[in-house]
Amino acid sequence: MAPPRVSARRRRPGVIALSLALIAAGGAGVAVLLLQVGNRTDVVTVVRDVQVGQVLTEGDLGRASVALDPAVKAVRADDLKSVVGKRAAVELKPGSLLAPSQVTKDNLVKAGEQLVPIGLEPKQIPATALVPGQKVQLVRVPALGTTDADKTSDAAPQTINGRVVKASDAAPGTGIVVVDVATSAADGPTAAAWEAAGTLRLVLAAPDGH
């Protein structure tokens, strides 16, 4: 005799309840997904390499719609034209979002200043990252094996105030970093001569610039 089918009928309400629960869960997931998709912000992106101090053009920039964390500061797509014509305050890389702090309307090398490139060996590079706008001092030190005949040993070294405009990545093999430093036009030739003679060192200035 065939087994009774009563037990099978009794399981059906449980199966139905489980199916309804899965459908409800799936609906909630869809609702969350739709909420995330709807809560997106149109922002400005960088589409090609832009060097420090370079004037931004529309060709350097693009638009993207992203789910943006409130803590992330980005230029809105509606404001794209407002950043065109400004200068990059830092080096910009393709695929990144553009932040308001990354652009400036000021020329990074101002009137009455000169740009002096300084090569730093790995042991001379500060542990603190060099960033555009950072104040530094250029210090003249005696060349190896020599002393300054007209200076006493306790005399203060010669210094020149400067400001970082750009710092390159470390060169492969040598690890040398080239730092572009803006100085006054009067001090530029002196700093260049110190650099050529190998007697120039770069020192970070205090945060208040003193």
Side-chain angles (χ1 to χ4, degrees), residues 34-122:
L34 290 175
L35 179 61
Q36 291 177 342
V37 171
N39 190 27
R40 301 177 79 85
T41 304
D42 293 333
V43 296
V44 176
T45 62
V46 181
V47 299
R48 58 190 181 194
D49 288 309
V50 180
Q51 299 301 313
V52 175
Q54 182 176 327
V55 176
L56 289 169
T57 67
E58 286 198 46
D60 299 321
L61 307 172
R63 293 179 174 86
S65 181
V66 299
L68 193 64
D69 189 294
V72 177
K73 304 300 181 184
V75 177
R76 299 301 193 263
D78 291 343
D79 297 327
L80 185 148
K81 290 188 180 298
S82 70
V83 297
V84 171
K86 292 185 178 179
R87 297 179 184 273
V90 297
E91 187 173 1
L92 304 177
K93 292 294 185 181
S96 61
L97 302 183
L98 184 67
S101 61
Q102 293 177 320
V103 297
T104 177
K105 62 182 180 181
D106 299 325
N107 192 334
L108 297 183
V109 180
K110 302 175 183 178
E113 291 184 334
Q114 290 187 347
L115 198 64
V116 181
I118 300 169
L120 299 179
E121 298 178 3

Side-chain angles (χ1 to χ4, degrees), residues 80-174:
L80 185 148
K81 290 188 180 298
S82 70
V83 297
V84 171
K86 292 185 178 179
R87 297 179 184 273
V90 297
E91 187 173 1
L92 304 177
K93 292 294 185 181
S96 61
L97 302 183
L98 184 67
S101 61
Q102 293 177 320
V103 297
T104 177
K105 62 182 180 181
D106 299 325
N107 192 334
L108 297 183
V109 180
K110 302 175 183 178
E113 291 184 334
Q114 290 187 347
L115 198 64
V116 181
I118 300 169
L120 299 179
E121 298 178 3
K123 64 181 179 181
Q124 299 171 329
I125 301 170
T128 301
L130 295 169
V131 296
Q134 193 169 33
K135 294 182 179 180
V136 296
Q137 279 192 328
L138 307 182
V139 182
R140 179 177 180 264
V141 298
L144 292 176
T146 66
T147 58
D148 289 333
D150 59 342
K151 300 285 183 182
T152 60
S153 59
D154 59 348
Q158 295 175 270
T159 63
I160 292 173
N161 292 326
R163 186 183 69 258
V164 174
V165 172
K166 179 182 178 182
S168 73
D169 294 329
T174 64

